[in-house]
Amino acid sequence: MVETRESTYQRRLAALQASLPAAGIDLLALAVTDNLRYALGGYAPTGDERFCALLITPTGLAFIVPSLNADQARANVAVPMHTYQDAEGPQAAIAAALGALGATAASTIAVDEEMRADHLLVLQATLPSASFQLSGTVVAPLRSRKDADEIARLQAAAATADAGVEAVFAASRPGVTELELVEIASAAMRHAGAEEIVFATVAAGPHTALPHHHSDATALQAGDVLLVDIGSRLNGYCSDITRMAIVGGAPPDAEYARVHAVLEEASRAAQAVARPGARAREVDAAAREVIAKAGYGDYFIHRTGHGLGLSIHEPPYITSADDLVLESGMVFSIEPGIYLPGRFGVRLEEIVYLDAEGAHVLSTLPRAVRFG
Ligand code: ZN
Ligand code: ZN
């Protein structure tokens, strides 16, 4: 059965409402972020300095929307709306929304992590005696368990990123710059159907030792290690992949093959542990142990992975300290890396989704290094 967007957002809003009492939350306020986009089945109004939030109580909904965006919002979601003009400001609309919800005395309020500070201050001024907390406790458990439609969208997005990696490798040769390859990756992802390029990093030579290098006009040299980490968005959902190549014409650093092999083993070890019932930290430990045993523990300087969905980084986070029990439908990266300062770095990044059988990789590209 194919769900309509309306039935999707009604189901999600009902699930959010149902989760509030157990969490002790009187009112949940979602700003124009991916949390709202999730709650409304893919729709969120334009976000800017104008106050805009969906207020959710266990029994009611109220959408505060600037009047210039109201027609658009009404065409997309059937929830009670409270609008205001630019010149009057949102205070009266917020008060009316709280009144309609019977929430003028709400004492525990959860707000979107990414709500603008100025909007949070308006809410706090409206409800001065309330205590405020973050919405993740109720939103993350719902968002992190993807349904079949969401996994299909992630798979389609992953295919566009695969195309981007292939295009970069095909174009890599001495003299081409990192930024030219970023353009090639972006064009290939768009050509493959991506609606947005979320990020594109191409790093060459010693730049690969910086996990978040900003690509620049550096030209590739023969024998350079090349790291491609790119992500797109398709049907609202993100992709994220990292693959490695060696620029042709000269052999790479003599230690390259060993580092790559260690990371391949770390990736497999983490994938094998990643299944419903395992803890996030156990997945991290599986990768970290392989790397530490090989003597590179000090050079794996980040967590093993992050969730992926409407946002490029979202729960669950695969860290050494996270006790979260993984569940079927969760989607996250497994991206062990080893970074040897001043020399080179290697990262192998897969996005996996979990079902009863374990972890399934979304990309169809091999992880082996490419020689150009
Ligand atoms: Zn990632
Ligand atoms: Zn990445």
Side-chain angles (χ1 to χ4, degrees):
M1 192 196 79
V2 177
E3 215 180 21
T4 64
R5 200 177 61 75
E6 188 172 0
S7 58
T8 300
Y9 75 68
Q10 285 173 347
R11 172 172 55 82
R12 290 176 181 171
L13 288 171
L16 283 169
Q17 289 182 301
S19 68
L20 297 181
I25 294 167
D26 301 324
L27 177 73
L28 169 64
L30 298 182
V32 181
T33 69
D34 288 334
N35 280 339
L36 183 62
R37 203 176 301 282
Y38 172 80
L40 296 181
Y43 170 73
T46 304
D48 60 15
E49 71 286 356
R50 297 176 176 94
F51 185 95
C52 181
L54 178 64
L55 305 185
I56 303 171
T57 68
T59 55
L61 301 166
F63 200 6
I64 300 156
V65 181
S67 58
L68 82 165
N69 296 328
D71 284 347
Q72 222 174 351
R74 279 194 198 94
N76 280 282
V77 283
V79 296
M81 233 162 267
H82 300 264
T83 66
Y84 67 92
Q85 306 274 348
D86 283 344
E88 62 182 332
Q91 284 80 0
I94 295 171
L98 291 171
L101 291 170
T104 48
S107 65
T108 305
I109 299 176
V111 297
D112 205 296
E113 282 74 357
E114 296 176 50
M115 177 180 281
R116 290 171 57 115
D118 53 351
H119 295 181
L120 174 60
L121 289 177
V122 169
L123 270 186
Q124 289 182 318
T126 311
L127 295 154
S129 56
S131 73
F132 286 76
Q133 63 184 65
L134 297 176
S135 66
T137 46
V138 286
V139 179
L142 294 176
R143 269 184 68 180
S144 62
R145 287 191 298 260
K146 270 73 175 176
D147 61 28
D149 173 64
E150 292 180 286
I151 287 172
R153 289 172 190 237
L154 286 157
Q155 186 114 47
T160 71
D162 283 2
V165 171
E166 295 278 24
V168 169
F169 287 170
S172 297
R173 59 185 64 85
V176 179
T177 70
E178 291 176 350
L179 279 174
E180 285 166 349
L181 293 175
V182 165
E183 287 305 311
I184 286 168
S186 302
M189 287 192 278
R190 283 194 193 282
H191 185 75
E195 62 204 16
E196 186 188 335
I197 308 307
V198 179
F199 68 95
T201 295
V202 175
H207 289 164
T208 57
L210 307 168
H212 285 150
H213 170 64
H214 294 283
S215 299
D216 60 26
T218 302
L220 273 54
Q221 296 178 31
D224 266 356
V225 172
L226 189 70
L227 182 151
V228 184
D229 184 356
I230 56 178
S232 65
R233 194 186 303 273
L234 177 57
N235 298 318
Y237 284 75
C238 293
S239 62
D240 186 6
I241 186 173
T242 309
R243 288 292 188 269
M244 305 299 305
I246 303 298
V247 181
D253 187 295
E255 203 173 346
Y256 181 86
R258 173 169 154 73
V259 170
H260 191 110
V262 168
L263 290 171
E264 173 61 29
E265 193 189 337
S267 177
R268 286 177 193 232
Q271 287 179 47
V273 168
R275 53 177 55 249
R279 293 185 187 275
R281 64 174 160 74
E282 294 170 333
V283 177
D284 182 89
R288 209 164 291 282
E289 272 168 31
V290 170
I291 293 168
K293 221 178 262 175
Y296 293 107
D298 289 345
Y299 303 100
F300 180 20
I301 52 178
H302 53 70
R303 64 193 176 204
T304 292
H306 56 84
L308 184 90
L310 289 168
S311 304
I312 191 77
H313 288 177
E314 62 179 49
Y317 292 102
I318 311 301
T319 76
S320 61
D322 201 316
D323 274 332
L324 179 82
V325 175
L326 300 174
E327 295 179 53
S328 198
M330 286 186 171
V331 176
F332 51 86
S333 69
I334 290 178
E335 50 179 304
I338 294 172
Y339 308 90
L340 304 179
R343 290 172 62 195
F344 67 90
V346 185
R347 181 165 65 253
L348 300 179
E349 177 176 25
E350 297 287 18
I351 303 300
V352 302
Y353 72 91
L354 301 189
D355 66 13
E357 282 144 32
H360 303 268
V361 170
L362 291 181
S363 170
T364 60
L365 296 182
R367 283 187 298 276
V369 65
R370 297 287 190 92
F371 290 90

